[in-house]
Amino acid sequence: MFPFLLIIILSLSWRISASAQPAEEFLRCLSIRFHNSSSFAKLVYTQHNSSYSSVLKSSAQNLRFTTPSTPTPLAIVTPLLASHIQAAVYCCRKHGLQVRTRSGGHDFEGLSYTTAYKVPFVVIDLVNLRSVQVNVEKATVWVESGATIGELYYEIARKSRTLAFPAGIGHTVGVGGHLSGGGYGVLFRKYGLGADNVIDARLIDVEGRILDKKSMGEDLFWAIRGGGGGSFGIVLAWKLKLVPVPANVTVFTVSKTLEQNATKLVHQWQYIAHKLPKEIHTSIIISRVNSSENEKMTVQASFTGIFLGSTDELVPLMEEKFPQLGIVKEDCFEMSWAESNLCATQCPVGVSLETLLERSQKSVLSKTFFKAKSDFVKQLIPESAFQGLWPKFYEDEAKFASMVFVAFGGKMEEISETESPYPHRAGNLYSILYVVDWEEEENKNSKKFMSWMGRVYNYMTPYVSKSPREAYSNYRDLDIGANKINNDKESYAEARVWGIKYFKNNFDRLVHIKTKVDSQNFFRHEQSIPPLS
């Protein structure tokens, strides 16, 4: 068999030099374990393959990590079967290569398809593993990790208008990464996180075994539901509990500039939003705009929401709870729950539901050069602090900057912070997502945008969570700390710096589980859970 496989490798123009011995050995190992030469040729890409670059960039959502200086993998494996993943894991372990696992490519720091260190690695891209099997009678769904949230929502909507799943609004986000980091969206005040509604999973572990909830045990099942992607294995598929929603929900948006009393409204929203009924999800998007009245630059606060009910129910409710906002019927649109997710990503009202299937569509946080950070707010921020924040949006770097406030409360107050690795539950009024993005021609000056982000983040320090200053692991941020990839002796101490910000006291339990299931730290990256030495 071996000479025949070697011909395949040569025919694909994989001209690997003696200095790239691990790559050659990996490909040889993989070709033998695939057992099928034609599938091997179609599913494995190296840097000498003409399709390599397009495959690598196909779902890379932060263009900051697609430049010529970005470290690239020795190979990209796009498995069709679980056995292909098992083969890739086996061969990477055997030949000392690291693995990066990609589902939707939305990792904010690109860690699902690149590395901040110069280490040889292979990307396992789950793009071909994206089936969605909905069981309406049992209100469950099995979804493979390579499916996007949009594909999941579309298949649910095809089967039922009154079932949903409480995940995020970014329809190009991969299910695998989203659920493994927690996954919150417009239903989390009613039903909890996406990870809270996972009832089974199939995982390939470091030994190449396929484990379900029963065979992996409660500890590992706990860890993969919010403990961060890429630390414990590769999740093939998730079994999810679907939740009931009305046939029609109501979406609203009310935008106010500083001249229209936005500062007072933002300040008042803090008192109200987390106390609203669980059926209401509200957020505020802060950004710079030109005033429609005189084209003068100003700051705008867009108050958006989704209500599990009708306009006729929502308007009087908001008149009672938040009359200052002045919501009227004309601000509201009724639609299916699946359609409401498209509105939440600023798609026009009435856009086709098939838009959920467009994996490569540019959205609010994709296909741009950007930097993002996160915070959690536990105490009311004074009005004067907002007034001090707004001038930063007039700076040159803030042309495409935004802050998003997402109200907590509801179900999130009721779930213990140890129920899953995601700990940011009771006591949080809202979360903050900071984003600054820029265009390709400005990327050579990217440091000035990163500096702007740093200034805003530092300004907010007195007003957000402390000891630790918490962060959301799905909004990956290497600024808060990173592992030294080849320094296992100090790995726990280094990882704890960022780990308690993402996971608080759950971090030590995650370390214990990691030590038990992957003591040699095969599944690792710059912010993966380390084992104890």
Side-chain angles (χ1 to χ4, degrees):
M1 178 185 273
F2 175 74
F4 176 66
L5 291 168
L6 189 57
I7 290 170
I8 295 170
I9 293 172
L10 293 173
S11 71
L12 291 170
S13 301
W14 288 343
R15 300 179 296 276
I16 301 164
S17 67
S19 63
Q21 194 70 22
E24 182 179 4
E25 291 172 345
F26 168 76
L27 292 170
R28 206 169 272 163
C29 173
L30 197 63
S31 63
I32 293 169
R33 296 187 76 86
F34 260 45
H35 303 301
N36 185 317
S37 58
S38 61
S39 66
F40 178 66
K42 293 174 183 175
L43 303 178
V44 183
Y45 304 84
T46 74
Q47 296 170 358
H48 298 286
N49 186 288
S50 60
S51 300
Y52 171 88
S53 180
S54 62
V55 171
L56 180 61
K57 294 179 180 179
S58 62
S59 64
Q61 299 293 337
N62 190 343
L63 300 186
R64 195 155 57 93
F65 303 106
T66 60
T67 65
S69 62
T70 303
T72 54
L74 295 178
I76 306 166
V77 182
T78 58
L80 285 170
L81 306 169
S83 61
H84 297 153
I85 301 177
Q86 291 169 308
V89 168
Y90 172 86
C91 293
C92 283
R93 285 186 69 196
K94 183 176 181 180
H95 298 291
L97 304 178
Q98 292 187 15
V99 163
R100 298 289 186 271
T101 306
R102 179 165 74 174
S103 49
H106 275 265
D107 191 304
F108 282 5
E109 299 283 13
L111 299 187
S112 63
Y113 52 91
T114 186
T115 174
Y117 305 108
K118 294 188 183 300
V119 294
F121 69 102
V122 169
V123 167
I124 298 178
D125 191 327
L126 304 178
V127 64
N128 294 324
L129 295 171
R130 51 204 261 205
S131 76
V132 182
Q133 298 174 324
V134 178
N135 187 321
V136 173
E137 289 72 27
K138 295 184 177 179
T140 61
V141 56
W142 270 105
V143 55
E144 290 184 311
S145 284
T148 62
I149 290 173
E151 289 168 340
L152 171 62
Y153 290 171
Y154 181 80
E155 288 302 318
I156 295 171
R158 278 204 323 124
K159 298 290 180 66
S160 171
R161 194 178 174 98
T162 56
L163 287 175
F165 182 72
I169 59 172
H171 65 267
T172 61
V173 174
V175 165
H178 187 63
L179 295 179
S180 68
Y184 64 73
V186 298
L187 293 177
F188 82 138
R189 297 187 71 251
K190 176 71 172 176
Y191 295 114
L193 306 172
D196 295 329
N197 292 275
V198 173
I199 53 180
D200 203 347
R202 289 198 289 267
L203 169 88
I204 294 181
D205 73 355
V206 68
E207 302 294 336
R209 298 172 298 186
I210 300 177
L211 308 175
D212 61 8
K213 177 182 177 180
K214 183 178 180 180
S215 55
M216 75 175 74
E218 287 296 331
D219 272 357
L220 185 51
F221 185 63
W222 177 87
I224 63 174
R225 293 177 295 122
S231 289
F232 304 96
I234 299 174
V235 180
L236 290 168
W238 310 78
K239 186 178 183 181
L240 311 176
K241 177 177 65 178
L242 300 181
V243 298
V245 292
N248 285 317
V249 303
T250 303
V251 175
F252 67 86
T253 301
V254 176
S255 296
K256 300 290 185 181
T257 62
L258 297 186
E259 294 75 16
Q260 297 169 322
N261 215 22
T263 305
K264 283 194 178 297
L265 288 171
V266 171
H267 182 247
Q268 289 164 342
W269 176 89
Q270 298 180 106
Y271 290 83
I272 298 161
H274 67 288
K275 296 178 181 177
L276 289 170
K278 294 178 183 179
E279 289 75 20
I280 303 178
H281 170 274
T282 67
S283 60
I284 307 175
I285 303 172
I286 308 290
S287 60
R288 184 172 95 192
V289 298
N290 288 327
S291 171
S292 58
E293 297 173 4
N294 53 20
E295 292 300 309
K296 179 184 174 183
M297 187 187 300
T298 187
V299 173
Q300 176 177 276
S302 292
F303 297 80
T304 67
I306 294 178
F307 171 61
L308 301 180
S310 68
T311 301
D312 289 341
E313 295 171 290
L314 174 66
V315 172
L317 178 61
M318 293 301 285
E319 285 176 349
E320 175 193 349
K321 302 291 187 182
F322 196 5
Q324 300 91 338
L325 190 58
I327 288 180
V328 295
K329 283 189 175 183
E330 289 71 24
D331 299 318
C332 304
F333 298 90
E334 292 188 10
M335 61 193 71
S336 72
W337 174 81
E339 291 167 331
S340 74
N341 283 276
L342 290 169
C343 280
T345 55
Q346 300 181 9
C347 289
V349 173
V351 70
S352 167
L353 203 58
E354 278 69 29
T355 306
L356 289 168
L357 301 176
E358 296 178 9
R359 294 177 69 99
S360 61
Q361 183 180 12
K362 183 174 179 178
S363 61
V364 179
L365 258 189
S366 66
K367 303 301 181 183
T368 62
F369 295 81
F370 71 87
K371 172 65 182 177
K373 299 177 80 68
S374 62
D375 263 322
F376 291 88
V377 177
K378 299 177 185 295
Q379 295 181 328
L380 298 168
I381 296 177
E383 192 173 326
S384 60
F386 292 121
Q387 290 169 339
L389 175 65
W390 306 147
K392 299 186 183 303
F393 280 85
Y394 294 116
E395 297 175 16
D396 290 344
E397 297 86 350
K399 181 181 179 182
F400 300 116
S402 62
M403 290 172 64
V404 183
F405 301 171
V406 176
F408 272 51
K411 184 74 171 179
M412 295 297 281
E413 289 283 331
E414 301 168 8
I415 301 173
S416 165
E417 66 177 40
T418 60
E419 183 71 21
S420 77
Y422 176 97
H424 316 289
R425 308 280 190 169
N428 289 293
L429 304 181
Y430 57 98
S431 66
I432 301 177
L433 168 63
Y434 310 83
V435 183
V436 59
D437 61 73
W438 55 94
E439 296 172 335
E440 184 171 8
E441 58 269 23
E442 297 175 298
N443 196 47
K444 59 182 179 295
N445 297 317
S446 62
K447 287 183 179 178
K448 71 177 185 178
F449 298 98
M450 308 282 268
S451 176
W452 181 89
M453 175 64 79
R455 293 195 301 276
V456 171
Y457 189 72
N458 288 339
Y459 174 83
M460 293 297 292
T461 301
Y463 311 113
V464 296
S465 60
K466 301 171 181 64
S467 302
R469 183 173 184 173
E470 298 170 30
Y472 178 32
S473 65
N474 266 358
Y475 296 159
R476 181 93 64 198
D477 180 10
L478 290 179
D479 293 350
I480 68 172
N483 305 333
K484 290 179 182 174
I485 209 77
N486 290 315
N487 187 6
D488 288 339
K489 286 187 177 179
E490 301 298 325
S491 60
Y492 172 79
E494 290 161 354
R496 201 171 193 281
V497 172
W498 56 262
I500 61 168
K501 297 173 184 177
Y502 287 151
F503 306 113
K504 297 175 67 177
N505 292 333
N506 292 334
F507 176 71
D508 284 337
R509 183 178 175 188
L510 289 167
V511 169
H512 173 76
I513 295 166
K514 173 71 171 184
T515 306
K516 190 163 60 173
V517 303
D518 183 16
S519 61
Q520 299 303 306
N521 204 17
F522 170 69
F523 289 109
R524 60 173 151 175
H525 55 69
E526 289 76 359
Q527 282 188 346
S528 60
I529 303 296
L532 289 170
S533 300

